[in-house]
Amino acid sequence: MDSLDLEVLQRARTWLADGKRVLLATVVRTWGSSPRPPGALLALREDGRAVGSVSGGCIEDDLMQRLRAEGMPETACRVSYGVGAEEARRFGLPCGGTMELVLEPLADPAPLDALLARLAAGELVERSLHLPSGRSALAPAHPEQATGFDGETLVSVFGPRYRLLLIGAGQLAASLARMALALDFAVTVCDPREEWSEEWNVAGTVLTREMPDDVVIGMRPDARTAVIALTHDPKLDDLALMEALRSPAFYVAALGSRHNNAVRRERLREFDLDASQVAALRGPAGLYIGSRTPGEIAVSIAAELVAVKNGVVPERVLPVAEAKAALELAENALSACARK
């Protein structure tokens, strides 16, 4: 879950503890383009105050007007927006966009207390809501699980933010860390080298000077964790990579040229990693966009990170190694033609 949705739950719990009633809106289905994905949350207090987002603002305004005009609903229900072109334009939805929400009235803070306590303990939690009865229940969730709705029961997944571990505290790491924070990753930076770590000043990140393999082991990477090696120092990068590649981390990557990464893969095989684990390494990290500066390289890596996180396989934008190999083939072919 992202930090905005966690804030929605925390604020809703505070309002309920203060004796206010709250309407919790959850995006459960979208068709076509939509501003917010399934699982996004909005909490409306009975007096019209709001936190969170399910659209660009027009749907929130309509829900507030409904709440003032009709009062708090007695039971959970579902509503749809943007079914027709005129309504889509009215509510600021993109062309063809349709969104379905579940509206859940809350009066007791206890269920949110239980949910927030499990989230504070770092658990990944499934919350099911049976609309006809209004009953909710909590259960363990798995990392690949997503929001689901069958028309009667809403299943929402809450848990730790996506995590990013950067090995190295240089200028590129700083640029990439800022982008990752904007993408709502929890960012940890590992660099045992004093000359680098002492200059680190990116607010919102966690800096550690422990050895990279110890940091990876301590983080216990899961399917919401990414690890990127940026130091160019095999003594640091390889330590992190060999542990990360043994884990369920969804993205493990390393900076460096194609040659250096080929040599790196040979070294990693000496650490008893199997062929599939070594093949999972993304190196050179990033998508090919002709990047040269630290900021541009950070954009390249961040783009690949998000693509892998979202299960997207880019068709026209290639990983660096594939793009450079294709360019070399094209240049060789041109040179051969010129010599004829």
Side-chain angles (χ1 to χ4, degrees):
M1 66 185 299
D2 62 35
S3 57
L4 176 60
D5 292 334
L6 179 59
E7 180 186 354
V8 170
L9 294 175
Q10 292 170 332
R11 188 75 64 83
R13 188 265 167 208
T14 299
W15 288 340
L16 291 168
D18 290 340
K20 303 293 185 181
R21 291 187 300 167
V22 174
L23 184 66
L24 185 66
T26 305
V27 177
V28 294
R29 288 176 181 158
T30 62
W31 294 267
S33 301
S34 62
R36 293 281 281 151
L41 298 177
L42 168 73
L44 290 170
R45 206 167 76 175
E46 58 185 339
D47 60 2
R49 292 195 180 184
V51 61
S53 173
V54 293
S55 77
C58 293
I59 290 178
E60 287 86 345
D61 290 343
D62 185 73
L63 289 172
M64 290 178 191
Q65 290 175 7
R66 287 189 184 203
L67 189 59
R68 293 189 184 102
E70 303 171 10
M72 187 74 61
E74 294 298 323
T75 59
C77 59
R78 55 180 176 170
V79 296
S80 296
Y81 289 91
V83 175
E86 182 177 346
E87 189 176 78
R89 286 193 297 271
R90 176 189 168 197
F91 291 110
L93 294 171
C95 181
T98 301
M99 178 181 295
E100 186 174 4
L101 309 175
V102 163
L103 306 181
E104 177 187 2
L106 300 173
D108 181 5
L112 289 189
D113 283 338
L115 173 58
L116 289 169
R118 295 177 72 161
L119 295 180
E123 296 182 39
L124 192 62
V125 183
E126 169 195 297
R127 180 178 186 262
S128 59
L129 171 68
H130 184 244
L131 268 66
S133 67
R135 291 193 302 268
S136 64
L138 303 180
H142 56 81
E144 293 78 20
Q145 194 171 350
T147 297
F149 183 56
D150 62 6
E152 186 172 279
T153 300
L154 166 63
V155 176
S156 303
V157 178
F158 303 99
R161 296 162 63 188
Y162 277 86
R163 298 180 295 167
L164 172 61
L165 172 62
L166 300 177
I167 309 302
Q171 188 178 14
L172 171 57
S175 295
L176 184 53
R178 292 185 181 98
M179 292 180 190
L181 289 170
L183 295 168
D184 214 44
F185 280 79
V187 180
T188 299
V189 178
C190 169
D191 201 325
R193 304 169 299 177
E194 290 186 8
E195 62 272 23
W196 292 99
S197 57
E198 287 184 356
E199 298 301 319
W200 184 259
N201 63 352
V202 179
T205 62
V206 174
L207 174 68
T208 175
R209 295 186 174 90
E210 296 180 45
M211 291 303 293
D213 52 338
D214 292 333
V215 174
V216 176
I217 293 170
M219 286 185 67
R220 292 186 294 179
D222 56 20
R224 295 187 174 211
T225 307
V227 179
I228 306 175
L230 302 172
T231 72
H232 291 291
D233 184 343
K235 296 190 298 296
L236 299 177
D237 288 346
D238 290 4
L239 287 173
L241 294 171
M242 69 179 183
E243 297 298 341
L245 290 167
R246 292 189 179 110
S247 78
F250 77 92
Y251 181 84
V252 181
L255 200 62
S257 67
R258 285 172 292 163
H259 171 74
N260 286 344
N261 272 284
V263 173
R264 188 197 312 278
R265 289 183 174 90
E266 292 299 324
R267 290 197 304 268
L268 289 172
R269 290 189 180 96
E270 298 175 4
F271 290 115
D272 296 327
L273 294 175
D274 62 38
S276 64
Q277 290 171 327
V278 173
L281 174 66
R282 293 179 176 270
L287 301 178
Y288 184 73
I289 58 173
S291 52
R292 298 180 183 275
T293 67
E296 291 175 347
I297 296 170
V299 168
S300 164
I301 297 173
E304 185 179 49
L305 173 65
V306 172
V308 175
K309 168 182 171 289
N310 292 340
V312 175
V313 180
E315 296 179 354
R316 295 187 178 181
V317 183
L318 298 175
V320 173
E322 293 180 32
K324 288 194 172 181
L327 285 173
E328 285 181 357
L329 286 174
E331 290 170 356
N332 291 339
L334 288 173
S335 296
C337 290
R339 288 195 297 269
K340 289 181 180 179

